[in-house]
């Protein structure tokens, strides 16, 4: 890192756009830097903080030149050394975002590189950085500039931004969407080219208009409040499961430790104690073999929740079955936190070795939690007749947690290929009972490859908002592609005024309606959803399109504008399917649109502009174009 | 126990049996018991009634208690009516009266409908009633009985369902003949199998959790509405009093202060005109929530439009608490007159709330230049509350017919913007009859779980359920009774149902299957097996093969069914003693199940005198197939097929599933 050529950079301008540029999947931070060569590489004050605090650079998000610049003469393009410097700078901003839990949708685009200074060896470079939150990304600039060797104080507006990396990460993490699921889904959506829009902290809209769906972490908009609440309440969901004929462990609500002891006596040890209203294995204590273990576990569980349940411990292994739209999609065996002996190392040493697994860590991006020693672990060690500094024989497992949740150091293994069909059918039936399209089902059985009817098994829990498993990184992508069809996109056409004059769009709407396509119109003097006039106010064309993207009744978007407002805001969508113009449009607007890789560009002669009563010839082509694209996939997901 | 005279004491013969399923034609779970006693003297009944009246506030006197009782059976009827009235008064949605099954001169067998969760509590009330009847008025224990009864009734109330929408939907479903399952908490399943839909208060099973979450947060909901191009009042989130005052200054007075995350008008103060008022309102709102908004006050009347499945189905204006002067009475007197309306109460379930002359009311009067003792002019409206919601004494006035279509469309758009299938939209607009495009308007709140209300909207519950649940929610159910011939019937009935394109849920022997797939294997009761099928969304029709007498202890898993085949009287009983008395308990099974059959009963000859007695128990048509040869069986299957076809046709054809991906 930063071993590139000797350059230094200083900030010329930074603008956070609301909208899109260069077809990038996220709004951009436009960064203009003055890059100058220096005799000596700037000395970094903080040695290798970058590599110790930031996750490694992800491949697949490279810096690139804009198409326009790409075809420019060599003299106007950055040379090899400058390019290496820019790549290194870009890498810093990508890594800092991803480490803070902001998925980066794509690499940045350099769209200007002009020689500067009398000697001609400096460059003014403009970089468009896609970001989840371009405004907040400005926070990273002071730190970023110091890294690039800029010695000047940061601009006044950024005076309060943290200068050191740990503080910066802390502040950026607070602005990140909460929950690993949301971040995985976002990353998957960018990968698949599905447009995303944040509605609230963890609530995202994937796709546009009729093809759009909402998700909150792994809840989709098909998960009803009823289902999710039922699933969250363990007592209620166990009752429902029993009523529907599914195998569940015997269970009873307990309000005191004495009651728990008495009930455990009645149902027989071993037992499990767990909070009735928490997810993610918090406070779950399984495999309690006697009264003293139960009493201790009761007190610990009590710290998590006032509402505790006592359950008969079902012998067997712990599996998590993930159902997506009626299909068993992932299945993991969950080994509780623990270590396997090698005949030479002590328990402590084995823990240290396990924790060296790069997937285990405490950062936001860590996929697994490190194994730690707590009261529960010490109790279990005692039960197993072991101690922290005792050597463990080879092939012997030392269990350090009772529950197998990933969040308490458990280790998941993908076992879907071995599942018995009747066990898969059970998982699907449980999801159907709860009317959930995505569900995580905790199932205990001795052997997943044999039918539970034969070897026994029990459904311990139904999770309406399951965590995606680290063993199957493809699942978030499958969720997104099942959820939205046609990458969630509807056709978008931009008609650059003054073509807009006239009532031709009413006729276009009617003719599209005949083809079962309802277009949304952003017009200079109003906003329409089909023939329904939503507003007659003059709104910013950026907000107009943003409003229409939320409307689930629409199958296509038609925007009539001169586009001048977009020069400041950026485009309201990342990709446009069609631009119609007559040559009188503003050159900068045309450039902005062309840079977004518009696939279809129709230049119509000025005499074909629509009149008040006339209907120009190109409207036939427009209707055809929109209807054909909207109709892909059986009519635009019309249900 | 001392007796008042030589009368027989009231007592239960053999205890109270609580059935979780449906028996003797009851559409609820029930208590079944036999009692012995004698006609009560009026004074005794009077004392009983007074005790119930005292222990159960607001109980309506059953008609039969108000008149002289005509003998023993009439006295039992009166008690059944009393128990039913106490259930309803304690908030249990039980809308079916108890019935006498058999009565002799001193004994009677009764069925008393209740909820599954309230069986035990209701049985306690029954026992307590007998204790009261049997206790001499001079007995020292009599003094403690009212308190004990009150406790029993309170327990009964706790065993019911909470939420004011639930009893109203349940009432509507009951009147529509729709099967009901009280799942858990406030969640009720309307309809059965593939026609079943769930509701939780006014959330449906397609109200997304995401939408409900967004709607509950006023700040997020308002931002989303604004982004969708819907007019909303501008507002700011504020942290403390100076911040609130600053925001009010920026937005311009008058302003509204409200919590961002609460429903039902809690902590909302509207029309605030000064810093001082903002300060007070902020501190008051802060008692309820940490997230406070200051909002620009939009002039206009306060309307609530209810949107269901893309249509406005009801609209009310919420007139804030206040009185209209008549030129003679003081404000205080006028308030007392308004509060005399019996609908205005203080309880949680009162349809309207009383108007309070508290500090807030005084402040408003002060601004109008009035006091509680002032006499307002005739026709002058004296506003006593800023907020107009029912909880603060507002009165709902129906304006559905007057609503301008543009305003209805705006409300529908607001519900769509949050992707809610059922929503209460609060709209501020000068006049609901004038388009918002002319007058301006603002959507100030979207409620994802609206309280539909009873005062003006009582008629909405049934149409909503009808729109939600296909037909009456019933699916064809065929019951085959009798062990020996089961295999003979299973095959032809199953293929007939499959030919109708129905996915059959079947309970036979030790298996529950759906479309041939085993759902459950091993011992189960008829009730448990049937409930699995009730809950399974794939089930279009049920075939219940009953071959033991457990139904007497559990009841049937369905309220009503379409066809019964009396395949023989060779039922297996777990009770060996009962086997020797087979005719009697077979008859009891028929008594228990036949009233629920409203289609056809197929039988094979048999003792005609017994059959004619049974025929009076059911509205179904009886068909004697005379023999067990293949043609007789075919004739029987054909009779059942007609019944099934009728059920499907009368319930609006095939199943209409909720658009839930999981159901496909």
């Amino acid at each position: 890192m930063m071993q590139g050529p000797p350059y230094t950079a200083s900030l010329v301008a930074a603008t956070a756009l609301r909208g899109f540029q260069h077809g990038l999947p996220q709004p951009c931070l436009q960064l203009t830097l003055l890059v100058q060569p220096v005799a000596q590489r700037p000395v970094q004050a903080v040695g290798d903080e970058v590599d110790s605090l930031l996750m490694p650079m992800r491949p697949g998000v490279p810096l690139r030149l804009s198409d326009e610049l790409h075809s420019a003469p060599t003299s106007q393009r950055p040379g090899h050394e400058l390019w290496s410097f820019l790549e290194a700078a870009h890498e810093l901003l990508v890594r800092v975002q991803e480490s803070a839990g902001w998925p980066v949708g794509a690499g940045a685009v350099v769209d200007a590189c002009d020689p500067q200074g009398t000697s001609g060896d400096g460059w003014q470079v403009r970089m468009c950085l896609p970001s989840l939150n371009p405004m907040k990304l400005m926070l990273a600039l002071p730190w970023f500039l110091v890294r690039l060797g800029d010695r000047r104080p940061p601009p006044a507006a950024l005076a309060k931004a943290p200068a050191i990396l740990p503080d910066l990460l802390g502040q950026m993490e607070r602005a990140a969407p909460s929950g690993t699921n949301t971040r995985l889904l976002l990353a998957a959506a960018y990968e698949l080219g599905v447009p995303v829009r944040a509605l609230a902290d963890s609530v995202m809209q994937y796709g546009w208009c009729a093809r759009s769906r909402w998700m909150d972490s792994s809840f989709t908009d098909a998960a009803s409040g009823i289902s999710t609440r039922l699933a969250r309440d363990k007592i209620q969901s166990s009752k429902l499961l029993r009523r529907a004929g599914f195998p569940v462990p015997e269970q009873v609500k307990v309000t005191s430790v004495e009651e728990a002891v008495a009930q455990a006596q009645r149902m027989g040890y071993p037992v499990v104690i767990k909070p009735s209203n928490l997810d993610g294995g918090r406070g779950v204590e399984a495999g309690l073999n006697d009264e003293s273990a139960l009493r201790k576990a009761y007190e610990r569980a009590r710290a998590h929740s006032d509402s505790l349940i006592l359950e008969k411990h079902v012998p067997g292994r712990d599996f998590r079955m993930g159902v997506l739209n009626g299909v068993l999609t992932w299945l993991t065996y969950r080994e509780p936190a623990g270590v396997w002996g090698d005949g030479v190392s002590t328990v402590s040493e084995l823990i240290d070795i396990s924790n060296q697994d790069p997937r285990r860590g405490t950062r936001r991006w860590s996929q697994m939690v490190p194994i730690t020693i707590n009261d529960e672990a010490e109790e279990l060690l005692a039960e197993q007749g072991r101690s922290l500094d005792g050597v463990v024989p080879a092939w012997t497992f030392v269990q350090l947690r009772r529950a197998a949740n990933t969040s308490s150091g458990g280790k998941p293994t993908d076992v879907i290929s071995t599942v018995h069909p009747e066990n898969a059918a059970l998982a699907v039936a449980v999801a159907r009972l709860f009317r959930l399209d995505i569900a995580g089902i905790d199932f205990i059985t001795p052997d997943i490859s044999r039918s539970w009817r034969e070897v026994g098994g029990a459904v311990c829990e139904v999770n309406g908002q399951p965590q995606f498993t680290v063993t199957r990184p493809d699942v978030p992508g499958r969720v997104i592609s099942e959820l939205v069809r046609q990458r969630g996109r509807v056709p978008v056409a931009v008609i650059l005024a003054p073509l807009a004059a006239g009532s031709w769009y009413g006729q276009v709407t009617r003719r599209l309606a005949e083809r079962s396509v309802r277009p949304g119109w952003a017009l200079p003097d109003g906003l329409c959803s089909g023939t329904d006039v939503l507003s007659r106010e003059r709104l910013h064309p950026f907000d107009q399109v943003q409003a229409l993207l939320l409307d689930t009744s629409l199958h296509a978007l038609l925007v009539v504008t001169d586009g001048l407002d977009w020069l400041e805001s950026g485009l309201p969508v990342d990709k446009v399917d069609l631009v119609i113009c007559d040559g009188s449009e503003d050159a900068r607007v045309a450039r902005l649109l062309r840079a977004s890789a518009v696939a279809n560009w129709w230049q119509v002669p000025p005499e074909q502009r629509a009149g008040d009563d006339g209907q120009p010839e190109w409207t036939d082509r427009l209707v055809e174009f929109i209807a054909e694209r909207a109709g892909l996939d059986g009519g635009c997901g019309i249900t | 126990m001392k007796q008042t005279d030589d009368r027989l004491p009231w007592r239960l013969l053999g205890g109270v049996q609580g059935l979780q399923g449906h028996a003797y034609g009851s559409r609820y779970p029930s208590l079944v018991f036999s009692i012995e006693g004698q006609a009560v003297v009026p004074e005794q009944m009077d004392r009983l009634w007074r005790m119930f009246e005292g222990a159960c506030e607001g109980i309506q006197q059953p008609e039969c208690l108000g008149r002289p009782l005509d003998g023993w059976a009439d006295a039992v009827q009166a008690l059944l009516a009393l128990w039913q009235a106490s259930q309803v008064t304690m908030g249990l949605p039980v809308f079916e009266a108890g019935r006498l099954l058999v009565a002799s001169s001193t004994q009677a067998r009764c069925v008393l409908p209740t909820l599954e969760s309230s069986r035990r509590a209701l049985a306690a009330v029954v026992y307590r009633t007998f204790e009261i009847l049997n206790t001499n008025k001079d007995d020292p224990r009599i003094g403690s009985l009212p308190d004990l009864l009150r406790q029993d009734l309170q327990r009964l109330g706790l065993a019911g369902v909470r939420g004011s929408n639930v009893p109203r939907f349940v009432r509507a479903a009951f009147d529509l003949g729709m099967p009901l399952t009280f799942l858990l908490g406030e969640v009720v399943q309307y309809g059965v199998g593939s026609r079943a839909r769930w509701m939780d208060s006014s959330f449906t099973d397609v109200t997304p959790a995401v939408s409900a979450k967004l709607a509950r947060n006023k700040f997020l909901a308002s931002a989303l509405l604004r982004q969708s191009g819907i007019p909303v009042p501008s507002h700011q989130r504020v942290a403390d009093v100076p911040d609130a005052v600053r925001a009010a200054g920026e937005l311009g007075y008058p302003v509204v202060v409200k919590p961002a995350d609460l429903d039902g008008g809690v902590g909302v103060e509207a029309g605030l005109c000064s810093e001082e008022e903002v300060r007070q309102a902020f501190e008051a709102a802060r008692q309820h929530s940490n997230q406070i908004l200051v909002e620009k006050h939009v002039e206009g009347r306060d309307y609530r439009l209810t949107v269901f499945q893309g249509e406005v189905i009801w609209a009310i204006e919420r007139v804030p608490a206040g009185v209209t002067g008549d030129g003679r009475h003081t404000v205080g007197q006028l308030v007392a007159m308004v509060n005399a309306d019996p609908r205005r109460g203080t309880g949680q379930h009162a349809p309207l709330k009383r108007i309070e002359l508290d500090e807030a009311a005084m402040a408003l009067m002060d601004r109008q230049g009035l006091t509680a003792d002032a006499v307002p002019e005739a026709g002058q409206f004296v506003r006593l509350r800023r907020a107009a919601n029912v909880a603060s004494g507002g009165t709902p006035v129906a304006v559905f017919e007057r609503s301008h279509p543009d305003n209805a469309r705006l409300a529908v758009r607001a519900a769509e913007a949050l992707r809610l299938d059922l929503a209460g939209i609060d709209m501020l607009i000068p006049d609901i009859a004038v388009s918002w495009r002319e007058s301006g308007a603002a959507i100030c709140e979207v409620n994802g779980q609206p309280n539909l209300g009873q005062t003006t909207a009582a008629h909405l519950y049934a149409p909503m359920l009808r729109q939600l649940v296909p037909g009456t929610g019933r699916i064809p159910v065929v019951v085959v009774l009798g062990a020996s011939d089961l295999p003979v019937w299973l095959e032809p009935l199953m293929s007939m149902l499959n030919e109708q394109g129905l996915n059959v849920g079947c309970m036979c022997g030790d298996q529950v299957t759906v479309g041939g797939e085993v759902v459950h294997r091993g011992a189960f009761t008829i009730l448990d097996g049937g409930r699995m099928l009730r809950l399974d969304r794939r089930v279009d029709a049920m075939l219940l093969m009953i071959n033991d007498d457990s139904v007497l202890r559990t009841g049937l898993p369905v309220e009503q069914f379409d066809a019964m085949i009396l395949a023989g009287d060779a039922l297996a009983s777990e009770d060996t003693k009962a086997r020797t008395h087979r005719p009697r308990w077979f008859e009891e099974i028929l008594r228990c199940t036949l009233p629920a059959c409203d289609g056809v009963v197929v039988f094979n000859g048999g003792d005609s005198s017994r059959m004619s007695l049974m025929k009076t128990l059911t509205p179904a048509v009886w068909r004697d197939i005379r023999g067990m040869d293949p043609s007789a069986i075919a004739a029987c299957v054909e009779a059942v097929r007609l019944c099934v076809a009728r059920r499907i046709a009368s319930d609006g054809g095939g199943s209409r599933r909720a658009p839930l991906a999981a159901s496909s």
Side-chain angles (χ1 to χ4, degrees), chain B residues 221-233:
Chain B
S222 176
L224 199 54
L225 292 175
R226 181 179 293 120
Q227 285 175 37
S228 298
I230 291 168
V232 288

Side-chain angles (χ1 to χ4, degrees), chain A residues 470-621:
Chain A
V470 301
T471 62
R472 286 293 300 277
D474 61 319
V475 167
R478 286 182 63 176
V479 169
I480 297 287
S481 36
E482 290 245 338
L483 205 63
V484 296
R485 302 288 169 193
Q486 291 296 317
R487 291 184 297 153
R489 291 177 184 270
V490 300
V492 179
V494 174
I495 297 142
L496 292 174
L499 290 170
S503 59
W504 54 274
Y505 50 82
Q507 292 175 32
V508 170
T509 303
R510 275 189 293 281
R511 288 171 58 198
L512 281 171
E514 287 162 16
R515 311 274 296 263
S516 302
V517 173
R518 183 179 159 99
W521 289 92
L523 298 164
D525 55 353
L527 192 63
C528 300
S529 172
T531 50
D532 195 358
V533 180
L534 303 183
S535 159
R536 292 202 182 91
E537 284 169 61
R538 156 111 182 81
L539 296 169
H540 196 291
F542 183 88
D543 296 328
Q544 281 186 319
V545 175
Q546 290 278 306
L548 294 174
L549 292 174
L550 293 168
D551 188 334
T552 51
S553 70
L554 301 179
H555 310 127
L557 290 190
L558 295 155
V559 187
V560 181
T561 177
D562 57 18
L564 291 172
D565 290 312
W566 290 344
L567 291 174
E568 276 187 22
S569 65
L571 291 172
V573 290
D574 58 344
K575 292 195 172 68
V576 171
D577 297 273
L578 170 66
V579 171
I580 300 176
C581 60
D582 66 354
S584 68
E585 67 279 359
D586 185 277
R588 292 165 302 167
V589 174
R591 199 161 156 243
L592 178 69
L593 281 164
R594 280 196 191 277
S596 300
V598 176
N600 297 276
W601 195 280
W602 296 353
Q603 182 95 16
V604 298
E607 63 274 16
Q608 277 199 22
R609 285 177 199 169
D612 269 331
D613 38 355
Q615 203 188 129
E617 167 271 333
W618 53 265
T619 55
D620 295 338
R621 281 164 67 202

Side-chain angles (χ1 to χ4, degrees), chain B residues 3-22:
Chain B
Q3 300 308 312
T4 45
D5 45 49
D6 58 350
R7 301 161 93 62
L8 275 175
W10 286 74
R11 65 187 185 96
L12 283 155
L13 299 170
V16 175
Q17 192 182 12
L19 299 183
Q20 288 171 281
H22 308 277

Side-chain angles (χ1 to χ4, degrees), chain A residues 220-233:
Chain A
T220 74
D221 51 14
S224 75
I226 298 181
S227 299
T228 56
R229 268 198 311 283
L230 276 181
R232 198 171 294 137
D233 187 320

Side-chain angles (χ1 to χ4, degrees), chain A residues 197 212 229 453 532-533, chain B residues 200 227 409 419 437 518:
Chain A
R197 168 164 176 190
S212 68
R229 268 198 311 283
R453 292 188 201 277
D532 195 358
V533 180
Chain B
D200 177 355
Q227 285 175 37
R409 177 76 194 122
R419 308 196 176 186
R437 294 184 196 282
V518 177

Side-chain angles (χ1 to χ4, degrees), chain B residues 544-578:
Chain B
L544 310 179
M545 312 294 267
I546 299 181
N547 64 355
D548 65 25
D549 62 350
S550 67
V551 69
L552 289 177
R553 292 182 294 277
T554 63
L556 281 168
V558 288
E559 289 87 340
Q560 280 166 300
F561 57 94
D562 300 277
M564 174 176 261
I565 296 168
L566 298 176
D569 54 6
L571 287 167
S573 172
E574 289 163 23
D575 183 352
T576 45
K577 260 188 264 167

